[in-house]
Amino acid sequence: ANPAIRELVGIMDEPTPVGQSLFEMKMSWKDCDLQGNPCPLEELPLPRALRGQRTLNQEVMAVRKDGTVRHELVSGVPIYNDKGEILAGYLVCTDITERKQAEESMRISEARYRELADTIPAGVYEATVDGYFTYANRTAMEMYGYGEDDIRKRIHFLQVVAPEDHDAAKRQSQAIREDQPLPYMDYTFVRKDGSRFPGLLMSKPLKRNGRVVGLMGVVTDISALKEAQTALRKNEAMLQ
């Protein structure tokens, strides 16, 4: 057991485990599954290796004696002699605690973003670079008549744009992929049931590490505005 693994499980202040029997040594830490349940010793990669079994990147939670938790990816393989007999088990542990913490922070951040987006009285969406929706807030789903299952089944943005506006939508999508600034665009959108409504779309690139990986946008239903404009024009015509 090198210093790195001893530091990982928090036993730097204890005598080295080298020379001790795996099945007789008293472990001051606990190896647990991802739900925090202690793993039976025989199911861990090293005992499995001693039985001739291979383990690749099993995720384990190491709960140290001071209560702190480290996450590790553990791989184990048996070591054989020339006769094919198992001499020992070889174990490699990779500390992934910082990565797990970053993933959890990202998950919490995304959850907060989605909670906030669901309170906005406009449709908010995210899509892949080739135009398939990956996320839509509650307002967007109500606006278009789709549900979460529909989003998971992959809806292309052209499915919600009227055919006569497809060319303009394709040009805008290409401009976003090229990271060009875009004005608000006025489209006729199509609901799942085939009915239509006028909307105003603001879209922009979705970036990761400076690279465009998708599109995000906000859609506002401007039906009431269009109706008011029509009524105003009628009134003006009557006064002439």
Side-chain angles (χ1 to χ4, degrees):
N2 68 358
I5 184 62
R6 295 176 63 194
E7 172 66 25
L8 180 61
V9 297
I11 59 171
M12 288 296 289
D13 59 341
E14 299 179 14
T16 176
V18 176
Q20 299 183 52
S21 168
L22 174 65
F23 301 98
E24 295 177 1
M25 67 179 294
K26 294 182 178 179
M27 301 178 184
S28 61
W29 76 95
K30 293 180 180 178
D31 289 314
C32 302
D33 61 23
L34 300 185
Q35 286 70 48
N37 304 309
C39 296
L41 180 62
E42 64 273 12
E43 294 181 8
L44 292 172
L46 186 53
R48 284 170 51 84
L50 294 175
R51 298 197 302 270
Q53 300 172 348
R54 299 168 62 91
T55 304
L56 179 63
N57 291 335
Q58 178 180 341
E59 191 169 338
V60 177
M61 286 173 51
V63 183
R64 295 166 165 173
K65 58 188 175 184
D66 64 2
T68 57
V69 176
R70 305 299 293 181
H71 294 266
E72 53 183 328
L73 284 180
V74 186
S75 298
V77 295
I79 298 175
Y80 299 94
N81 63 15
D82 294 339
K83 298 179 181 179
E85 301 168 332
I86 297 175
L87 293 177
Y90 183 76
L91 197 68
V92 176
C93 301
T94 304
D95 189 344
I96 60 169
T97 305
E98 282 70 27
R99 191 189 82 186
K100 294 288 289 187
Q101 291 171 342
E103 289 174 350
E104 179 63 12
S105 296
M106 178 66 74
R107 187 192 66 77
I108 293 173
S109 177
E110 289 179 349
R112 288 174 178 167
Y113 163 74
R114 279 159 172 70
E115 286 180 9
L116 176 61
D118 277 339
T119 67
I120 298 174
V124 178
Y125 72 88
E126 293 179 2
T128 61
V129 289
D130 52 354
Y132 287 94
F133 293 114
T134 56
Y135 167 75
N137 72 343
R138 185 178 295 113
T139 302
M141 287 188 283
E142 292 173 353
M143 187 181 293
Y144 292 106
Y146 288 97
E148 293 183 3
D149 286 343
D150 296 308
I151 301 297
R152 283 191 286 269
K153 292 175 183 176
R154 290 171 61 87
I155 301 172
H156 196 270
F157 80 96
L158 290 179
Q159 290 177 241
V160 300
V161 176
E164 62 268 24
D165 287 340
H166 279 190
D167 288 343
K170 290 176 182 178
R171 288 194 297 270
Q172 184 179 33
S173 178
Q174 182 59 37
I176 292 172
R177 286 193 288 268
E178 295 172 358
D179 201 11
Q180 298 178 17
L182 291 171
Y184 281 89
M185 296 292 291
D186 192 338
Y187 290 112
T188 297
F189 291 103
V190 182
R191 300 185 180 94
K192 186 177 182 180
D193 64 5
S195 60
R196 297 182 170 205
F197 69 94
L200 197 63
L201 171 64
M202 186 283 292
S203 53
K204 59 181 292 187
L206 185 62
K207 296 182 179 181
R208 293 285 186 273
N209 300 319
R211 185 171 63 89
V212 176
V213 296
L215 306 84
M216 64 182 299
V218 178
V219 179
T220 304
D221 186 339
I222 57 173
S223 299
L225 176 61
K226 290 288 188 179
E227 290 171 1
Q229 289 174 341
T230 299
L232 180 59
R233 284 194 294 269
K234 287 181 179 179
N235 289 336
E236 289 175 345
M238 291 173 61
L239 293 172
Q240 291 179 357

